[in-house]
Amino acid sequence: MAVYAPLDLGTVCGYNSLGSIQDVDRLYPPGCGGALEDIVSLVPVGELRRKITVSSLRDKKLHHEPITCLTAYDYSSARLIDEAGIDIVLVGDSLAQTMLGHENTLSVTIDEMLHHTRAVHRGVKHALLVADMPFGSYQSDPIEAVRNASRFVKEAGAEVVKIEGGEKRADLIRRIVDAEIPVAGHIGLTPQSVNVMGGYKVQGKNLSGVEQLMRDAVALDRAGVALMVLEGIPREVAAMITAEVETPTIGIGAGPDCDGQVLVFHDLLNLSFGHPAKFVRRYANVGAAITVAAEAFRADVAARQYPSDEESYHLPKETRAALDTVLERKRAMRR
Ligand code: KIV
């Protein structure tokens, strides 16, 4: 049975964020919202959740336990995902599209990625925190690539950095791993190569494509990656790679035989615009819920139905009486 942390609501709720006590209106009602979130954790104290590490992912692969991964880009979503028991939180460069409204991932900068990774880091306690290195931050100079990778660890709390590409990235990956920074690989449909691929196309559909993917996967495995993302490849190829390599494979559009699965947060919740890819399963309709809430708020404000008297702060009785006296005196003087 789960045991929850004891909570002295009386003490906690007696104070509001202005530092005043007991008899004033509370900014937040007892037991919910705002300042209390730092004290009330949804994670039951009695349920031991171990920190997910690079080596626990390997254990999961060995024991055929499916690995779960979701993207997150800010504190609140990261915290909810972490508390839901997801193994890996990925600050994907997909944030260029989902959060910043860009057409593709190419224009997101290292500073933007660091900014979002820092926010996610504050929300994650148990999951392994992986951050994407953006386009242009590792492709040209290996020394600069290692320096950029270490910024993710030092300045933003990432535990693993992810870079796209297979065979051709093996030497760079060794250098980053040598610098004590775990690396996640990413092969198949690699969105940072959109202009080279001529669009977002499933990779490895012909024999030479399959051979290249196998070479890429083995090269990443030998270079010592902590995990590898397999994106947009036939199920059969993902199954072969997963059986061949010791590294845990995390699939997205790569079928069910990978060691784990990743989805983009906005796809999971139907918060994205446009037609979803074939592999996307919507687990909630949050986009529609936001629209309904925003429209209801607009209608209430327009009809002066929000806020109500109960949702308003009031003067204490004595102040009210004193104010009435002052106002009455002013009115009398005007007469
Ligand atoms: O950026 C991202 O969200 C990703 C996932 C699709 C794996 O790389």
Side-chain angles (χ1 to χ4, degrees):
M1 200 183 74
V3 183
Y4 288 83
L7 185 64
D8 183 356
L9 279 181
T11 312
V12 170
C13 297
Y15 292 81
N16 65 28
S17 64
L18 301 175
S20 49
I21 49 171
Q22 306 301 350
D23 57 341
V24 295
D25 285 305
R26 290 166 175 153
L27 288 187
Y28 304 104
C32 72
L36 284 179
E37 70 164 11
D38 289 338
I39 300 143
V40 185
S41 173
L42 295 178
V43 178
V45 167
E47 259 174 32
L48 271 187
R49 263 189 72 202
R50 296 226 320 260
K51 172 81 184 94
I52 301 293
T53 62
V54 165
S55 65
S56 51
L57 292 185
R58 291 227 165 207
D59 288 347
K60 280 194 166 230
K61 174 161 181 138
L62 278 175
H63 294 102
H64 304 288
E65 284 174 39
I67 298 167
T68 52
C69 174
L70 284 173
T71 66
Y73 315 108
D74 61 22
Y75 167 75
S76 52
S77 59
R79 181 167 169 172
L80 292 169
I81 288 169
D82 187 65
E83 293 187 352
I86 296 295
D87 297 311
I88 304 170
V89 172
L90 168 66
V91 187
D93 60 356
S94 51
L95 72 81
Q97 290 136 303
T98 58
M99 301 297 287
L100 305 178
H102 291 298
E103 196 186 320
N104 54 45
T105 60
L106 300 180
S107 46
V108 70
T109 66
I110 189 157
D111 286 329
E112 286 167 333
M113 289 302 300
L114 288 168
H115 170 80
H116 285 274
T117 306
R118 277 192 283 270
V120 168
H121 179 232
R122 289 178 210 118
V124 170
K125 280 200 186 117
H126 297 95
L128 184 75
L129 179 52
V130 181
D132 255 337
M133 292 188 65
F135 177 67
S137 69
Y138 60 91
Q139 283 90 344
S140 44
D141 176 16
I143 295 177
E144 197 197 344
V146 175
R147 195 179 305 125
N148 286 336
S150 65
R151 288 190 70 192
F152 278 93
V153 178
K154 221 180 175 63
E155 297 176 31
E159 294 167 296
V160 177
V161 295
K162 178 161 83 59
I163 68 178
E164 295 184 5
E167 251 186 332
K168 64 181 170 194
R169 302 275 177 247
D171 288 339
L172 174 63
I173 289 169
R174 281 196 189 86
R175 273 178 181 253
I176 301 177
V177 173
D178 269 357
E180 318 301 342
I181 301 168
V183 176
H186 183 158
I187 57 174
L189 192 170
T190 46
Q192 290 178 16
S193 327
V194 59
N195 291 330
V196 177
M197 294 181 304
Y200 298 107
K201 295 178 181 158
V202 174
Q203 302 293 298
K205 295 223 284 197
N206 56 29
L207 263 193
S208 67
V210 175
E211 278 166 16
Q212 183 59 54
L213 278 173
M214 291 307 293
R215 277 201 301 274
D216 286 338
V218 169
L220 292 184
D221 197 39
R222 292 196 182 138
V225 290
L227 59 117
M228 66 177 88
V229 171
L230 307 180
E231 177 166 358
I233 64 174
R235 171 183 181 165
E236 297 82 355
V237 185
M240 278 163 60
I241 292 173
T242 301
E244 181 69 25
V245 299
E246 285 177 17
T247 307
T249 61
I250 311 294
I252 176 161
D257 308 304
C258 302
D259 297 309
Q261 296 293 329
V262 53
L263 271 182
V264 167
F265 183 76
H266 289 60
D267 287 341
L268 177 94
L269 300 178
N270 201 358
L271 260 175
S272 39
F273 306 92
H275 191 66
K278 180 182 186 176
F279 59 82
V280 169
R281 189 181 293 178
R282 308 290 202 193
Y283 283 86
N285 207 355
V286 173
I290 290 175
T291 304
V292 167
E295 285 175 357
F297 171 72
R298 183 181 52 74
D300 277 356
V301 173
R304 301 198 180 283
Q305 295 293 306
Y306 176 83
S308 66
D309 189 54
E310 291 74 39
E311 289 158 331
S312 307
Y313 300 112
H314 293 92
L315 284 172
K317 259 195 213 133
E318 321 76 67
T319 316
R320 181 73 207 246
L323 185 64
D324 284 348
T325 312
V326 171
L327 291 177
E328 182 50 40
R329 227 179 270 152
K330 279 194 174 164
R331 270 195 293 271
M333 280 166 66
R334 260 189 256 120
R335 266 185 237 126

